[in-house]
Amino acid sequence: MQTECNAAYLNFPMLGRREILADFDGGDISSDGGALLLRQVEQLTGILRQFADCFTDHRDPERVEYTVEQVMSHACPSNPRTTTP
């Protein structure tokens, strides 16, 4: 089966006054392009922090080594702030 290529792009909902656009024009290509996109979105928006803020941490503060944000950041290995526990 031959791959079907097109010049389409993904237009995400506005983020405040900012437009978010994913363009697949065949420029620099990487096998981890999705991770690169997530890293860029995280750097621009702080979306992991915002997502982590949606959770209430019921853990005992005396025993917590990593914040909720740090734990969640491990699900996004392209996050530049990720530290390995």
Side-chain angles (χ1 to χ4, degrees):
M1 177 189 291
Q2 189 169 5
T3 303
E4 194 174 308
C5 300
N6 59 48
Y9 61 88
L10 295 177
N11 194 3
F12 296 96
M14 295 289 288
L15 183 64
R17 294 180 297 159
R18 296 177 187 236
E19 179 182 23
I20 299 176
L21 176 74
D23 189 351
F24 303 95
D25 65 358
D28 294 334
I29 297 175
S30 170
S31 62
D32 63 350
L36 296 174
L37 175 62
L38 288 174
R39 180 179 65 190
Q40 187 68 24
V41 169
E42 166 57 20
Q43 288 174 339
L44 292 172
T45 68
I47 196 166
L48 284 176
R49 178 190 45 75
Q50 294 175 47
F51 185 57
D53 288 345
C54 294
F55 294 86
T56 303
D57 192 351
H58 295 284
R59 299 175 294 170
D60 178 359
E62 296 289 324
R63 303 178 80 186
V64 171
E65 291 185 41
Y66 299 97
T67 66
V68 173
E69 182 181 357
Q70 288 170 324
V71 172
M72 289 182 167
S73 73
H74 291 284
C76 183
S78 64
N79 180 7
R81 297 179 304 177
T82 299
T83 57
T84 304

